């Protein structure tokens, strides 16, 4: 049975953008779509009087939110199979549990009721940091959301943290028929003794060659498995966060790997993932690497 693409919906503009993006993604990969709304209203059913207006109104709201999201999804693509559910749990717990049986989780960048000044809502951040499956936070400018650039951007981190991200990126690029732009940033040590300018170029070349060797090792197997995917490999001196945020303006999706440490229940996002989730100009996929 094919695992569904799960979207967290809450009626906000961010979740509606996530629904649109997820419908296109489900159609692209031939996946069913599951729209879920998490609410704690059932906890209060045994406490609130039968005549209390809060009891039915919250249930009606939940049903309206998932129903409206489903109708929006059907209007966008009637060939995608759609299921809906309301879950009696907080949003983070519900989505993390859904992620145990999902091809990927999709969320908006900021949900209903979250502070306007936040760059990324707390739900999207927590789910991206802890889910067992890929998480896509749908954010960015209109071009990035529309997917008109024809490029996927893969931030190539350390090999032990992004093997799954590489495979995800190649599958995505193949499904979209677009170019996969693979970038690894490198930096010199914080301090190097003063040397003659000509001599200083030699260490820089060594760091660049090391970065290139990492790319070769990361991509060798996936390139052979997906020979039709056009790849562009780039090594860049500088901060990975700045390099990838800048390049996200010309991408339809940024893909990053994230190492999951067994038994660790706190947030497990590196600085690069954290920055891209807040500042990328297109949707961001965080793909966990089991540790």
């Amino acid at each position: 049975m094919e695992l569904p693409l799960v979207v967290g919906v809450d009626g906000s503009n961010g979740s509606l953008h996530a629904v649109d993006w997820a419908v296109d993604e489900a159609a692209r990969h031939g996946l069913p779509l599951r729209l879920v709304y998490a609410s704690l209203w059932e906890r209060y059913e045994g406490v609130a009087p039968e005549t209390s207006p809060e009891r039915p109104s919250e249930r009606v709201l939940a049903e309206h939110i998932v129903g409206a999201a489903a109708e929006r999804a059907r209007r966008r693509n009637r060939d995608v199979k759609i299921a809906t559910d309301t879950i009696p749990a907080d949003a983070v717990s519900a989505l993390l549990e859904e992620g145990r049986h999902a091809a990927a989780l999709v969320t908006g960048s900021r949900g209903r009721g979250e502070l306007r000044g936040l760059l990324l809502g707390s739900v999207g951040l927590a789910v991206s940091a802890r889910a067992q499956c890929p998480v896509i936070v749908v954010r960015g400018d209109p071009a990035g959301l529309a997917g008109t650039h024809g490029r996927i951007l893969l931030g190539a981190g350390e090999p032990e943290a992004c093997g799954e991200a590489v495979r995800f990126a190649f599958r995505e690029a193949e499904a979209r028929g677009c170019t996969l732009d693979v970038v690894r940033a490198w930096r010199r040590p914080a301090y190097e003794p003063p040397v003659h300018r000509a001599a200083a170029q030699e260490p820089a070349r060594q760091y660049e060659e090391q970065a290139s060797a990492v790319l070769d090792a990361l991509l060798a197997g996936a390139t052979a498995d997906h020979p039709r995917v056009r790849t562009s490999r780039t090594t860049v001196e500088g901060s990975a966060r700045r390099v990838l945020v800048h390049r996200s303006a010309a991408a339809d999706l940024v893909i990053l790997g994230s190492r999951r440490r067994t038994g660790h229940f706190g947030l497990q996002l590196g600085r690069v993932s954290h920055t891209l989730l807040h500042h990328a100009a297109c949707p961001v996929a965080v793909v966990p690497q089991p540790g």
Side-chain angles (χ1 to χ4, degrees), residues 34-109:
R34 177 170 163 80
L35 308 176
V36 300
Y37 173 74
S39 170
L40 293 173
W41 58 266
E42 287 194 4
R43 286 190 181 181
Y44 307 104
E45 282 198 324
V47 178
E50 289 294 322
T51 57
S52 172
E54 285 77 19
R55 180 176 179 269
S57 65
E58 187 64 26
R59 174 180 287 182
V60 169
L61 174 64
E63 293 173 351
H64 172 74
I65 287 173
V66 294
E71 180 58 29
R72 183 184 181 99
R74 293 188 187 98
R75 287 200 306 267
R76 192 168 182 93
N77 191 322
R78 295 194 174 276
D79 293 330
V80 173
K81 295 181 180 178
I82 299 169
T84 64
D85 199 4
T86 58
I87 302 173
D90 68 273
V92 173
S93 298
L95 289 175
L96 290 176
E97 181 61 29
E98 288 286 320
R100 296 167 62 87
H101 310 286
L105 292 171
V106 182
T107 75
S109 61

Side-chain angles (χ1 to χ4, degrees), residues 121-143:
S122 58
V123 172
L125 186 62
V127 172
S128 299
R130 295 164 53 193
Q132 297 182 18
C133 69
V135 176
I136 299 97
V137 174
V138 178
R139 55 160 298 112
D141 59 29

Side-chain angles (χ1 to χ4, degrees), residues 137-156:
V137 174
V138 178
R139 55 160 298 112
D141 59 29
L145 291 172
T148 57
H149 295 292
R151 299 183 76 83
I152 297 296
L153 176 61
L154 170 63

Side-chain angles (χ1 to χ4, degrees), residues 235-251:
T235 58
V236 183
E237 182 176 9
S239 162
R241 289 176 288 175
R242 292 181 181 179
V243 168
L244 294 174
V245 167
H246 175 72
R247 286 178 172 254
S248 72

